[in-house]
Amino acid sequence: MAIDSNKMMQAIYDALYGSLTGDVPGVAASRSVPPGSGFLTLLKPGLRIEPMVYANAWSPVNPEGSDTAGRALAELVSQAPSLNPMFTPIGRVEDFYEEIVRAAVDPSPPNPEQEAAVAAAENFLFDDGVDFDPVTGQPVTVPNSVDSPAYANYKNKFALFEAALTSYLAQWQQVDQTNPKDMQAWAVISPILQTKVRMAYAEFDTSKPGIIKDKESILGQASQTSLVRRFAEARRVFELAPRGEGFSSYLPVQVFPANWATTQAYSSVDLTSNEIHTSSSSSFGSWNAGGGLDFGLFSIGGSGGRSWSNYTLHQDTTNLRLSFQFARVDIRRAWLKENLLTTTGWSVEGRAKNSYSNGNVDPSNTGVFPLLPVAFIVARQVRATANWSAVDRQTFSQTLQGGGGIRIGPFHFGGGASSSSTTSSTWAASNQTDLYTPDVELIAFLNRVVPACPPK
């Protein structure tokens, strides 16, 4: 049977998205980015990265870290994408947010009771941070600009719990529920995976999530309280956040887990072209409902700067199997207050109502800032095997031997084009059936849909 490239691409997308946003029956905890407010943008091609470039990055919680790594990490996650399954950057998060914190705000009369509740919640969830005045070099206290130890502990334990959920769902989605053998095999491994999920949840429960959620709810419900003050405080935090001066400055971010390149919290995916599992509600599928888009699965690139081109597998190639490990890395921006986006009573000069986003998770959302990246997805240990036709085997061999590369969806094998990054890819010399790379690649961003704004 000929390989359906579009369906295989959708299977990659759906395996990631379903694992990152789905629920596990019997576990009473919603995901941080549920399907109704989340969107996955897949990089094609992915970005092969050297994790040590981003190691020990400076952040408010790592003040002894490297500014070089901090700048590299900030740049890696700075782009806001359009609402499209394929990652298409349309602007920098910090630029859009700077417009928002400088918005024209309608004054609202203070409510002393709400003010006190908000202040108590903020004091519980946040601590004062310390930055340095770019002119005098003197330390400056930035109120409520870093997570308190209790809030950081809650976020970290919830992230570890979500990693266990992701691992469970990544394997469940690959089970053919109509196949008795698959279900028998699942019956053996599912109790082990469920135990890991429940253990992670029990550990998360020690972070007192009820208290944290109550404080978060107070901030959310009272978001209109003294709107002028809230915007002024957000603007102050934003203005004091940059590291460095002038064009060399950057807005630092924190990621979790910090050891994302070496963490064991990777989930495994194993896809085959003969047994493709996709979701009927997939965003990827809805964008190509009429079959008019060709996202392309394979492409090849020559050495010496020659460009990449889409490649169509020969019809005799069958039984493509693609396996990889992936992990979610949360992006935390201490300088960005998301609850500002849900407030009413503000406008931005030059921006029409809802021009950032209309809040929808569908193609009608053509705003200039529809998505906020909240995590990036990295993959490693990628392997592709198939019953390759003689034509495809010869093409791949010649391409790799000539210093070129092969791409399958977001995954990259070999070199190719103007790539200067090193690679450990292999193409089994004995029978040339096995493409493999252990290299770490950034393959996707998990985004939260920006609420409808500006409100005026």
Side-chain angles (χ1 to χ4, degrees):
M1 180 187 297
I3 295 169
D4 188 323
S5 294
N6 264 353
K7 282 190 175 180
M8 197 67 176
M9 278 292 293
Q10 182 177 341
I12 297 171
Y13 183 97
D14 289 358
L16 293 170
Y17 187 62
S19 302
L20 293 163
T21 64
D23 293 323
V24 175
V27 178
S30 60
R31 307 302 293 268
S32 59
V33 184
S37 61
F39 197 87
L40 187 77
T41 49
L42 193 68
L43 275 70
K44 184 178 177 289
L47 178 65
R48 186 182 292 154
I49 55 181
E50 174 47 63
M52 291 306 297
V53 171
Y54 310 99
N56 192 36
W58 191 99
S59 75
V61 297
N62 186 27
E64 302 301 320
S66 163
D67 265 320
T68 300
R71 184 176 290 104
L73 183 61
E75 188 64 29
L76 185 71
V77 301
S78 68
Q79 293 295 324
S82 64
L83 196 74
N84 187 295
M86 291 300 159
F87 180 81
T88 306
I90 54 177
R92 295 167 66 87
V93 171
E94 47 265 48
D95 292 339
F96 292 127
Y97 185 68
E98 181 174 14
E99 293 180 5
I100 292 169
V101 297
R102 301 189 189 286
V105 182
D106 296 342
S108 57
N111 180 317
E113 185 177 341
Q114 283 191 343
E115 285 286 291
V118 167
E122 288 179 334
N123 290 336
F124 184 89
L125 296 176
F126 304 104
D127 284 345
D128 293 347
V130 177
D131 212 316
F132 295 89
D133 188 292
V135 177
T136 66
Q138 295 299 308
V140 177
T141 298
V142 187
N144 295 328
S145 59
V146 297
D147 291 340
S148 67
Y151 201 22
N153 180 54
Y154 164 84
K155 286 184 176 181
N156 293 346
K157 288 186 175 179
F158 186 69
L160 293 173
F161 164 63
E162 280 211 289
L165 281 177
T166 297
S167 182
Y168 178 97
L169 289 167
Q171 296 195 47
W172 168 241
Q173 290 181 112
Q174 297 163 61
V175 175
D176 183 354
Q177 299 177 50
T178 65
N179 186 322
K181 289 185 177 180
D182 271 19
M183 294 304 293
Q184 288 173 6
W186 178 250
V188 173
I189 66 171
S190 62
I192 300 172
L193 295 173
Q194 289 174 352
T195 297
K196 291 181 178 179
V197 171
R198 289 190 169 88
M199 288 176 64
Y201 183 80
E203 182 62 24
F204 162 63
D205 203 37
T206 66
S207 68
K208 297 181 172 57
I211 296 176
I212 297 292
K213 290 177 181 177
D214 179 60
K215 303 300 183 184
E216 289 180 329
S217 177
I218 291 172
L219 294 186
Q221 293 174 4
S223 59
Q224 293 300 125
T225 301
S226 295
L227 201 59
V228 172
R229 178 183 65 80
R230 294 177 71 81
F231 269 79
E233 289 179 350
R235 184 167 60 251
R236 175 176 169 80
V237 169
F238 178 81
E239 290 175 344
L240 291 173
R243 295 279 297 172
E245 297 182 22
F247 292 113
S248 64
S249 66
Y250 70 96
L251 283 162
V253 299
Q254 180 192 359
V255 295
F256 184 88
N259 64 332
W260 51 270
T262 56
T263 179
Q264 297 303 306
Y266 275 75
S267 302
S268 298
V269 171
D270 197 343
L271 306 171
T272 61
S273 60
N274 293 343
E275 193 177 311
I276 295 178
H277 297 165
T278 59
S279 170
S280 59
S281 60
S282 167
S283 296
F284 188 101
S286 66
W287 251 257
N288 195 32
L293 298 178
D294 182 7
F295 291 107
L297 181 65
F298 277 79
S299 57
I300 59 176
S303 60
R306 286 181 289 175
S307 62
W308 289 85
S309 59
N310 287 339
Y311 180 79
T312 301
L313 291 174
H314 191 275
Q315 62 182 5
D316 290 344
T317 290
T318 59
N319 196 30
L320 173 64
R321 182 173 183 175
L322 184 65
S323 63
F324 58 94
Q325 298 177 354
F326 75 94
R328 166 182 171 165
V329 185
D330 285 342
I331 305 166
R332 299 175 183 175
R333 303 174 180 88
W335 44 266
L336 190 152
K337 306 300 181 184
E338 281 193 62
N339 60 13
L340 284 188
L341 305 179
T342 60
T343 60
T344 60
W346 57 274
S347 60
V348 175
E349 185 177 357
R351 299 289 191 193
K353 179 180 178 179
N354 293 350
S355 59
Y356 288 126
S357 170
N358 67 8
N360 295 335
V361 193
D362 59 46
S364 72
N365 193 345
T366 57
V368 297
F369 182 30
L371 298 175
L372 174 66
V374 295
F376 62 88
I377 313 305
V378 289
R380 67 183 184 187
Q381 306 292 341
V382 186
R383 189 180 304 274
T385 62
N387 297 325
W388 307 107
S389 69
V391 173
D392 291 334
R393 186 180 290 114
Q394 181 179 21
T395 299
F396 293 168
S397 296
Q398 290 176 344
T399 298
L400 294 171
Q401 290 170 7
I406 299 168
R407 291 171 179 166
I408 305 178
F411 308 114
H412 189 166
F413 305 88
S418 57
S419 173
S420 60
S421 58
T422 59
T423 175
S424 305
S425 301
T426 60
W427 170 235
S430 58
N431 53 19
Q432 296 180 331
T433 61
D434 190 350
L435 283 165
Y436 170 76
T437 178
D439 299 334
V440 176
E441 287 186 278
L442 192 160
I443 62 168
F445 283 95
L446 181 61
N447 311 277
R448 189 172 290 121
V449 176
V450 173
C453 64
K456 298 181 65 178

